[in-house]
Amino acid sequence: MQRRIRPESVPWDVAAFSRTRSADAPSGDGGCTNWGPPMRELSMHILDLAQNSIVAGATLVEIDVIADTKADTLKISIKDNGKGMSAEFLARVEDPFTTTRTTRRVGLGIPMFAEAAHMCDGDLAVQSKVGQGTTVEATFRLSHIDRAPLGDVA
């Protein structure tokens, strides 16, 4: 499956995803906010990364989801033509305390996606060049018992 998404075609409810407080957020969290639904499905990781692409100024976001039953692999790739990342930032991108946001000092999207892949005998690779965009590619063992369901990607 391959989808090419233009930012202007993203429905408002998807764009508002990160601005809605999750019902699962603990009360009395000391000022920390749990934004959006928990990452129980791989589709939530895809949505998070697509939204990051739009925030980075991408005019084109390509999403590939490829299940290969013979090789027992699931590959998810998100590629954009946004502003890209510097080599220094890219080296720290899997660190949860690395983010470009000013509202919080943590960025859990890529670290959580990497952990989901690693738990399923997979891996995560991020390639980026300033001014050219970013590609995030995660692989999973398709039959792994701990692999989260893909979820709703329609």
Side-chain angles (χ1 to χ4, degrees):
M1 169 186 355
Q2 182 174 12
R3 294 182 184 258
R4 297 183 194 279
I5 299 174
R6 296 220 177 260
E8 60 272 8
S9 70
V10 175
W12 286 104
D13 60 332
V14 172
F17 158 74
S18 70
R19 295 188 299 270
T20 58
R21 186 173 172 89
S22 170
D24 294 342
S27 59
D29 56 4
C32 295
T33 307
N34 181 10
W35 295 97
M39 303 291 207
R40 293 189 182 127
E41 297 175 340
L42 297 175
S43 61
M44 293 290 100
H45 291 286
I46 295 169
L47 180 62
D48 178 57
L49 291 170
Q51 185 173 2
N52 288 351
S53 296
I54 293 167
V55 170
T59 58
L60 179 66
V61 180
E62 297 176 14
I63 299 172
D64 295 320
V65 178
I66 301 167
D68 184 342
T69 55
K70 288 187 181 190
D72 194 29
T73 59
L74 175 67
K75 180 177 119 180
I76 299 173
S77 174
I78 298 95
K79 179 180 180 180
D80 70 45
N81 65 347
K83 64 183 178 183
M85 294 181 255
S86 68
E88 296 80 25
F89 192 86
L90 186 59
R92 301 185 329 265
V93 77
E94 287 190 42
D95 178 353
F97 297 104
T98 297
T99 185
T100 58
R101 284 185 304 203
T102 57
T103 55
R104 289 186 276 174
R105 289 185 294 241
V106 294
L108 298 176
I110 289 177
M112 287 176 64
F113 197 31
E115 182 62 23
H118 295 149
M119 284 177 29
C120 301
D121 300 333
D123 201 11
L124 182 108
V126 181
Q127 299 173 350
S128 188
K129 285 197 170 190
V130 174
Q132 294 184 7
T134 301
T135 301
V136 177
E137 185 174 291
T139 56
F140 302 82
R141 185 163 50 107
L142 187 60
S143 65
H144 199 286
I145 193 166
D146 290 329
R147 183 182 58 80
L150 184 56
D152 187 7
V153 293

